[in-house]
Amino acid sequence: MENKQRQIAYKVTISEVLEGKYVKEGGWVPNYVVIGENNVSRINIVGIIIAKIDEGGNGGVLVDDKTGNISIRTFDNSSIFDKVGVGDIILLIGRPREYNNEKYVVPEIIKKINKS
């Protein structure tokens, strides 16, 4: 059996994700955003939640990191947003996605960072 390693979660800014070219792959190959010389399929961002989003029962938040803002959406686990609120500083690890030419992030981990 082939040993699959998890992709690196690159530390990037939101503007890099928004400006990067999104590449959609087929099969089991992960989709990614081209940032510099890297094909980034997992991102690591620190930002502030500036709004909560409720789109037809699917949860989400809008995150800003001073370079831009991006929506964080989930389609099956909106409870991931229960422990965070507007104004919280978070560490986000997730996968960039694109739908109708709008980039967003599907979260894997959202961790509140203490302000102190």
Side-chain angles (χ1 to χ4, degrees):
M1 184 169 185
E2 187 177 333
N3 185 11
K4 296 271 184 188
Q5 279 195 317
R6 186 182 296 217
Q7 287 89 21
I8 296 170
Y10 288 93
K11 288 186 178 184
V12 296
T13 63
I14 291 173
S15 65
E16 289 175 317
V17 174
L18 296 175
E19 294 167 7
K21 179 183 178 210
Y22 186 77
V23 178
K24 192 169 187 171
E25 295 285 353
W28 292 101
V29 179
N31 300 343
Y32 59 88
V33 175
V34 178
I35 299 175
E37 297 178 8
N38 297 315
N39 296 340
V40 179
S41 61
R42 292 179 75 229
I43 59 173
N44 178 338
I45 292 175
V46 174
I48 299 172
I49 296 176
I50 59 172
K52 282 215 170 191
I53 305 165
D54 184 16
E55 297 175 344
N58 295 324
V61 295
L62 195 61
V63 174
D64 188 300
D65 73 347
K66 294 186 180 180
T67 67
N69 57 60
I70 194 166
S71 63
I72 313 303
R73 303 179 192 165
T74 185
F75 301 101
D76 59 355
N77 184 16
S78 62
S79 65
I80 195 167
F81 302 116
D82 289 347
K83 295 184 180 178
V84 295
V86 174
D88 287 344
I89 301 169
I90 61 163
L91 167 69
L92 165 71
I93 295 177
R95 297 187 175 275
R97 295 286 182 258
E98 185 177 74
Y99 181 73
N100 285 343
N101 292 323
E102 180 187 349
K103 291 189 180 85
Y104 65 96
V105 178
V106 175
E108 293 178 7
I109 298 169
I110 296 179
K111 183 177 178 184
K112 187 175 174 179
I113 298 174
N114 292 332
K115 296 177 185 177
S116 55

